[in-house]
């Protein structure tokens, strides 16, 4: 039995129960999205926790999570449904072989729900005993404008149309979370349909809270060094700044190596956990890692 969400504090408590550390502003917009039944549009750099919040909401509310991973070329049909053509072909050949190939009856059977493969948007329109599912539309900025226009219509009425079966309307609108890494601008019309929040990199204190929740085995001293170094690294002119996900991954890698304190050599050996481009890694070779480590330690003072 999940706790009812009647206040912003309830949202923070629910997310905290899933090891998701959310600030007041994010908790407020999540509360409003749940209370008003509005889609929530989360924009920000990769690795700042946009996808994770959808997972935390679904688990915290005891709802099913349905994820539509966006990509270039995604169209409405791929997001809603497709017909199981191999099964339809087998049914046709079976009917022909048995001499029962009544065209009208066969066509009616072939385009029934028995041969329908439901994709995320259609799945999210279906009733669920646990309540409306959480529909995560992840990285919308990877798609193109025609899909955006279709999505705007789908989110407006919470219904989809299958020509052979008719219109299917959600008995209860799903909880919709849309994310974007801002590789391109998403159209204002879609943003206006949603409540909006920019998910930024956390400050030092919040990133420490996140690390304590996600990598509790790390000592306080090591966690402070990790967070200070990553925060300092984000100020550098690098191609891809490390997100919170990389901070957590790095901490777990260091723990696996039994590291108790950062050193330039340890940093150089494990850079692949926080940086994903060779040019960025090459920049931190040699004295650069020591410089950043010294500057990071200066911001947190002695242990």
């Amino acid at each position: 039995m999940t706790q009812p969400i009647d206040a912003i504090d309830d949202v923070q408590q629910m997310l905290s129960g899933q090891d998701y550390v959310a600030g007041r502003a994010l908790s407020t917009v999540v509360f409003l999205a749940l209370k008003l039944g509005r889609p929530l549009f989360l924009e920000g750099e990769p690795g700042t926790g946009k996808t994770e919040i959808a997972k935390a909401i679904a688990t915290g509310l005891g709802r099913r999570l349905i994820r539509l991973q966006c990509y270039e070329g995604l169209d409405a049909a791929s997001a809603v449904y497709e017909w199981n053509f191999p099964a339809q072909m087998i049914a046709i050949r079976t009917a022909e072989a048995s001499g029962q190939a009544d065209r009208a009856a066969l066509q009616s059977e072939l385009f029934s729900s028995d041969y329908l493969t439901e994709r995320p948007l259609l799945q999210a329109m279906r009733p669920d005993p646990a309540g409306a599912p959480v529909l995560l539309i992840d990285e919308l900025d990877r798609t193109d404008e025609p899909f955006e226009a279709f999505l705007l219509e789908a989110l407006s009425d919470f219904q989809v149309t299958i020509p052979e079966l008719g219109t299917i309307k959600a008995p209860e609108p799903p909880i919709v979370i849309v994310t974007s890494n801002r590789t391109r601008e998403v159209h204002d019309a879609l943003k206006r349909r949603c409540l909006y929040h920019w998910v930024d990199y956390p400050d030092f204190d919040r990133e420490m809270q996140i690390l304590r929740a996600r990598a509790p085995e790390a000592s306080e001293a090591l966690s402070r060094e990790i967070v200070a170094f990553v925060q300092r690294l984000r100020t550098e002119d690098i191609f891809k700044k490390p997100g919170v996900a990389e901070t957590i991954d790095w901490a777990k890698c260091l723990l696996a190596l039994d590291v108790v304190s950062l050193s330039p050599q340890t940093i150089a050996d494990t850079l692949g956990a926080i940086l994903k481009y060779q040019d960025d890694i090459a920049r931190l070779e040699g004295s650069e890692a020591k410089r950043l480590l010294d500057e990071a330690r200066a911001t947190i003072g002695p242990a």
Side-chain angles (χ1 to χ4, degrees):
M1 185 74 175
T2 58
Q3 178 184 348
I5 304 299
D6 298 320
I8 298 168
D9 290 342
D10 295 336
V11 171
Q12 286 193 296
Q13 185 176 347
M14 175 189 73
L15 296 177
S16 177
Q18 307 307 317
D19 291 335
Y20 191 99
V21 180
R24 185 75 177 179
L26 178 56
S27 298
T28 299
V29 77
V30 169
F31 171 74
L32 291 173
L34 295 174
K35 195 75 172 176
L36 302 177
R38 294 278 298 279
L40 177 57
F41 190 99
L42 300 175
E43 200 165 37
E45 297 292 336
T48 50
K50 301 183 297 297
T51 299
E52 287 300 314
I53 195 169
K55 296 177 181 178
I57 291 171
T59 305
L61 294 176
R63 306 293 180 90
R64 180 185 179 195
L65 175 67
I66 299 172
R67 181 175 182 174
L68 173 61
Q69 179 61 54
C70 297
Y71 55 86
E72 186 177 353
L74 177 65
D75 58 13
S78 301
V80 179
Y81 75 99
E82 65 180 1
W83 293 107
N84 188 339
F85 291 119
Q88 288 174 321
M89 289 303 299
I90 291 172
I92 290 170
R93 289 171 181 169
T94 301
E96 289 175 343
S98 64
Q100 299 175 349
D102 182 328
R103 286 185 175 275
L106 183 58
Q107 183 171 358
S108 176
E109 179 189 344
L110 291 175
F111 291 99
S112 66
S113 58
D114 292 340
Y115 295 91
L116 186 70
T117 301
E118 298 188 357
R119 296 303 183 194
L121 286 183
L122 180 55
Q123 292 172 15
M125 303 294 173
R126 297 299 195 186
D128 193 308
V134 174
L135 172 62
L136 169 61
I137 302 172
D138 213 8
E139 299 183 327
L140 179 62
D141 51 318
R142 290 179 177 269
T143 63
D144 50 23
E145 292 187 2
F147 182 77
E148 257 188 61
F150 161 76
L151 190 61
L152 179 64
E153 182 180 355
L155 295 183
S156 175
D157 301 324
F158 290 106
Q159 65 182 33
V160 293
T161 299
I162 300 174
E164 298 85 354
L165 298 178
T167 299
I168 298 171
K169 185 175 179 62
E172 183 183 0
I175 300 167
V176 181
I177 311 290
V178 184
T179 75
S180 167
N181 292 332
R182 210 176 188 181
T183 57
R184 69 169 180 85
E185 286 294 334
V186 174
H187 199 278
D188 285 347
L190 183 60
K191 284 186 175 182
R192 284 198 301 270
R193 181 70 58 188
C194 308
L195 296 176
Y196 176 87
H197 185 79
W198 174 264
V199 183
D200 209 346
Y201 294 116
D203 60 18
F204 181 87
D205 290 338
R206 181 158 295 128
E207 195 155 10
M208 278 294 296
Q209 287 181 280
I210 294 169
L211 201 54
R212 288 188 193 109
R214 296 301 183 95
E217 306 89 353
S219 69
E220 184 75 6
L222 178 61
S223 295
R224 288 175 64 82
E225 284 190 344
I226 290 170
V227 172
F229 185 87
V230 172
Q231 295 247 333
R232 180 64 188 84
L233 185 56
R234 289 185 189 130
T235 67
E236 292 292 295
D237 183 21
I238 55 179
F239 184 75
K240 169 65 176 69
K241 293 177 171 55
V244 179
E246 282 73 36
T247 304
I248 297 167
D249 285 346
W250 192 33
K252 291 179 178 179
C253 289
L254 294 171
L255 287 170
L257 295 171
D258 296 323
V259 172
V260 295
S261 180
L262 290 182
S263 68
Q265 186 60 54
T266 300
I267 293 170
D269 290 344
T270 57
L271 276 176
I274 48 175
L275 297 175
K276 308 302 179 182
Y277 288 88
Q278 175 55 30
D279 290 348
D280 290 342
I281 292 173
R283 284 200 54 183
L284 263 69
E285 291 178 346
S287 61
E288 277 298 288
K290 183 180 185 307
R291 176 182 68 83
L292 289 177
L293 179 58
D294 290 343
E295 292 176 0
R297 281 177 171 159
T299 65
I300 58 176

